[in-house]
Amino acid sequence: DLHASSLLHCRLTWRKSRLKVALLLLLSLHGILFSTYMYGNMPGLAFSALAVWAFLTFQERPNWPSGILCALCLALAVILKYNYMIVFIAIAIIWFICLLRRRQLKSLLCLLLCVVAVLGLKDMPQRYYERRMGEDFGRGISLWGWMALGFNEGQTASGWYDPAYTVDLFEKNDGNSAEAARQAPAPACSAWGTAGCSRSRAAPRR
């Protein structure tokens, strides 16, 4: 039977693929090295991967459990590690493109649920600690400082961590995020060019 042979071939191929992925993961040291890391990299990565799986499952067979699971996992990933906003943005862009190709109310509602869940809960850890301590932490180090860091020569290599554009600049301005944002791109003028530097200075003021 041709159908049975094809099905058996697919199962064997899938089994070999899973073994290859398992072997690659076993040889990867990232998970082992991150296991003692105090930040939420690993659990955030786990929820991000689960969110991607739920998103793909929803695109294959649109259903509420997959959409809700995707929104929940994306929110938890961003709460644990803000860097996973990148995963959320990627899924949102692809989801929007899928909506343009196949318009469906359920898909639109699940996408909106993901957006509301992530944007509504991303600051929850900070709000929690602010309420416990009775203090306002403010906006913190400006994202423009991290951008300037990536465009400049670091102490070790290009784009490497350098507190001069982040912590030092933030403390120099007495914790004023807006002023730090205005000054942060200044060291990156050589990398962006004159026009890029002027745009970067104007952007934080708006």
PDB file of all heavy atoms in Angstrom, residues 32-44:
ATOM      1  N   ILE A  32      23.331  24.099  29.969  1.00  0.00           N
ATOM      2  CA  ILE A  32      24.070  23.726  31.180  1.00  0.00           C
ATOM      3  C   ILE A  32      24.669  24.961  31.847  1.00  0.00           C
ATOM      4  O   ILE A  32      24.595  25.136  33.070  1.00  0.00           O
ATOM      5  CB  ILE A  32      25.174  22.713  30.840  1.00  0.00           C
ATOM      6  CG1 ILE A  32      24.546  21.433  30.266  1.00  0.00           C
ATOM      7  CG2 ILE A  32      26.019  22.398  32.063  1.00  0.00           C
ATOM      8  CD1 ILE A  32      25.555  20.423  29.791  1.00  0.00           C
ATOM      9  N   LEU A  33      25.249  25.851  31.042  1.00  0.00           N
ATOM     10  CA  LEU A  33      25.881  27.042  31.599  1.00  0.00           C
ATOM     11  C   LEU A  33      24.848  28.000  32.183  1.00  0.00           C
ATOM     12  O   LEU A  33      25.112  28.686  33.177  1.00  0.00           O
ATOM     13  CB  LEU A  33      26.700  27.743  30.508  1.00  0.00           C
ATOM     14  CG  LEU A  33      27.895  26.951  29.968  1.00  0.00           C
ATOM     15  CD1 LEU A  33      28.586  27.717  28.856  1.00  0.00           C
ATOM     16  CD2 LEU A  33      28.888  26.650  31.082  1.00  0.00           C
ATOM     17  N   PHE A  34      23.663  28.052  31.579  1.00  0.00           N
ATOM     18  CA  PHE A  34      22.626  28.946  32.058  1.00  0.00           C
ATOM     19  C   PHE A  34      21.889  28.394  33.274  1.00  0.00           C
ATOM     20  O   PHE A  34      21.100  29.100  33.896  1.00  0.00           O
ATOM     21  CB  PHE A  34      21.604  29.225  30.952  1.00  0.00           C
ATOM     22  CG  PHE A  34      21.949  30.419  30.106  1.00  0.00           C
ATOM     23  CD1 PHE A  34      21.898  30.343  28.727  1.00  0.00           C
ATOM     24  CD2 PHE A  34      22.320  31.614  30.696  1.00  0.00           C
ATOM     25  CE1 PHE A  34      22.210  31.443  27.944  1.00  0.00           C
ATOM     26  CE2 PHE A  34      22.634  32.722  29.929  1.00  0.00           C
ATOM     27  CZ  PHE A  34      22.585  32.639  28.547  1.00  0.00           C
ATOM     28  N   SER A  35      22.120  27.132  33.605  1.00  0.00           N
ATOM     29  CA  SER A  35      21.379  26.519  34.713  1.00  0.00           C
ATOM     30  C   SER A  35      21.711  27.168  36.049  1.00  0.00           C
ATOM     31  O   SER A  35      20.927  27.103  36.990  1.00  0.00           O
ATOM     32  CB  SER A  35      21.671  25.016  34.776  1.00  0.00           C
ATOM     33  OG  SER A  35      23.047  24.784  35.043  1.00  0.00           O
ATOM     34  N   THR A  36      22.879  27.781  36.165  1.00  0.00           N
ATOM     35  CA  THR A  36      23.254  28.469  37.404  1.00  0.00           C
ATOM     36  C   THR A  36      23.092  29.981  37.280  1.00  0.00           C
ATOM     37  O   THR A  36      23.510  30.720  38.167  1.00  0.00           O
ATOM     38  CB  THR A  36      24.712  28.140  37.768  1.00  0.00           C
ATOM     39  OG1 THR A  36      25.570  28.514  36.680  1.00  0.00           O
ATOM     40  CG2 THR A  36      24.874  26.648  38.029  1.00  0.00           C
ATOM     41  N   TYR A  37      22.515  30.432  36.183  1.00  0.00           N
ATOM     42  CA  TYR A  37      22.329  31.864  35.935  1.00  0.00           C
ATOM     43  C   TYR A  37      21.086  32.328  36.674  1.00  0.00           C
ATOM     44  O   TYR A  37      20.030  31.703  36.584  1.00  0.00           O
ATOM     45  CB  TYR A  37      22.178  32.088  34.427  1.00  0.00           C
ATOM     46  CG  TYR A  37      22.544  33.454  33.944  1.00  0.00           C
ATOM     47  CD1 TYR A  37      23.718  34.077  34.340  1.00  0.00           C
ATOM     48  CD2 TYR A  37      21.709  34.133  33.063  1.00  0.00           C
ATOM     49  CE1 TYR A  37      24.066  35.319  33.871  1.00  0.00           C
ATOM     50  CE2 TYR A  37      22.045  35.388  32.593  1.00  0.00           C
ATOM     51  CZ  TYR A  37      23.221  35.973  32.994  1.00  0.00           C
ATOM     52  OH  TYR A  37      23.548  37.215  32.532  1.00  0.00           O
ATOM     53  N   MET A  38      21.200  33.415  37.392  1.00  0.00           N
ATOM     54  CA  MET A  38      20.111  33.840  38.267  1.00  0.00           C
ATOM     55  C   MET A  38      18.949  34.487  37.512  1.00  0.00           C
ATOM     56  O   MET A  38      17.865  34.646  38.055  1.00  0.00           O
ATOM     57  CB  MET A  38      20.635  34.812  39.319  1.00  0.00           C
ATOM     58  CG  MET A  38      21.152  36.125  38.768  1.00  0.00           C
ATOM     59  SD  MET A  38      21.704  37.282  40.034  1.00  0.00           S
ATOM     60  CE  MET A  38      20.163  37.688  40.828  1.00  0.00           C
ATOM     61  N   TYR A  39      19.160  34.862  36.273  1.00  0.00           N
ATOM     62  CA  TYR A  39      18.101  35.519  35.519  1.00  0.00           C
ATOM     63  C   TYR A  39      17.184  34.486  34.856  1.00  0.00           C
ATOM     64  O   TYR A  39      17.438  33.288  34.886  1.00  0.00           O
ATOM     65  CB  TYR A  39      18.705  36.458  34.474  1.00  0.00           C
ATOM     66  CG  TYR A  39      19.517  37.574  35.091  1.00  0.00           C
ATOM     67  CD1 TYR A  39      20.907  37.593  34.984  1.00  0.00           C
ATOM     68  CD2 TYR A  39      18.894  38.598  35.791  1.00  0.00           C
ATOM     69  CE1 TYR A  39      21.651  38.611  35.568  1.00  0.00           C
ATOM     70  CE2 TYR A  39      19.628  39.614  36.369  1.00  0.00           C
ATOM     71  CZ  TYR A  39      21.007  39.619  36.253  1.00  0.00           C
ATOM     72  OH  TYR A  39      21.725  40.612  36.840  1.00  0.00           O
ATOM     73  N   GLY A  40      16.119  34.978  34.208  1.00  0.00           N
ATOM     74  CA  GLY A  40      15.097  34.087  33.678  1.00  0.00           C
ATOM     75  C   GLY A  40      15.326  33.624  32.255  1.00  0.00           C
ATOM     76  O   GLY A  40      14.361  33.401  31.521  1.00  0.00           O
ATOM     77  N   ASN A  41      16.580  33.463  31.858  1.00  0.00           N
ATOM     78  CA  ASN A  41      16.861  33.076  30.474  1.00  0.00           C
ATOM     79  C   ASN A  41      16.264  31.726  30.100  1.00  0.00           C
ATOM     80  O   ASN A  41      15.573  31.598  29.085  1.00  0.00           O
ATOM     81  CB  ASN A  41      18.377  33.038  30.240  1.00  0.00           C
ATOM     82  CG  ASN A  41      19.016  34.397  30.357  1.00  0.00           C
ATOM     83  OD1 ASN A  41      18.970  35.019  31.410  1.00  0.00           O
ATOM     84  ND2 ASN A  41      19.619  34.877  29.293  1.00  0.00           N
ATOM     85  N   MET A  42      16.537  30.707  30.905  1.00  0.00           N
ATOM     86  CA  MET A  42      16.106  29.361  30.555  1.00  0.00           C
ATOM     87  C   MET A  42      14.595  29.176  30.663  1.00  0.00           C
ATOM     88  O   MET A  42      13.971  28.677  29.720  1.00  0.00           O
ATOM     89  CB  MET A  42      16.854  28.333  31.408  1.00  0.00           C
ATOM     90  CG  MET A  42      18.349  28.257  31.101  1.00  0.00           C
ATOM     91  SD  MET A  42      18.694  28.029  29.342  1.00  0.00           S
ATOM     92  CE  MET A  42      18.046  26.384  29.084  1.00  0.00           C
ATOM     93  N   PRO A  43      13.962  29.542  31.783  1.00  0.00           N
ATOM     94  CA  PRO A  43      12.501  29.407  31.814  1.00  0.00           C
ATOM     95  C   PRO A  43      11.818  30.294  30.781  1.00  0.00           C
ATOM     96  O   PRO A  43      10.804  29.910  30.199  1.00  0.00           O
ATOM     97  CB  PRO A  43      12.121  29.810  33.244  1.00  0.00           C
ATOM     98  CG  PRO A  43      13.290  30.567  33.762  1.00  0.00           C
ATOM     99  CD  PRO A  43      14.491  29.995  33.086  1.00  0.00           C
ATOM    100  N   GLY A  44      12.384  31.475  30.524  1.00  0.00           N
ATOM    101  CA  GLY A  44      11.825  32.340  29.490  1.00  0.00           C
ATOM    102  C   GLY A  44      11.935  31.717  28.115  1.00  0.00           C
ATOM    103  O   GLY A  44      11.012  31.807  27.294  1.00  0.00           O
TER     104      GLY A  44
END
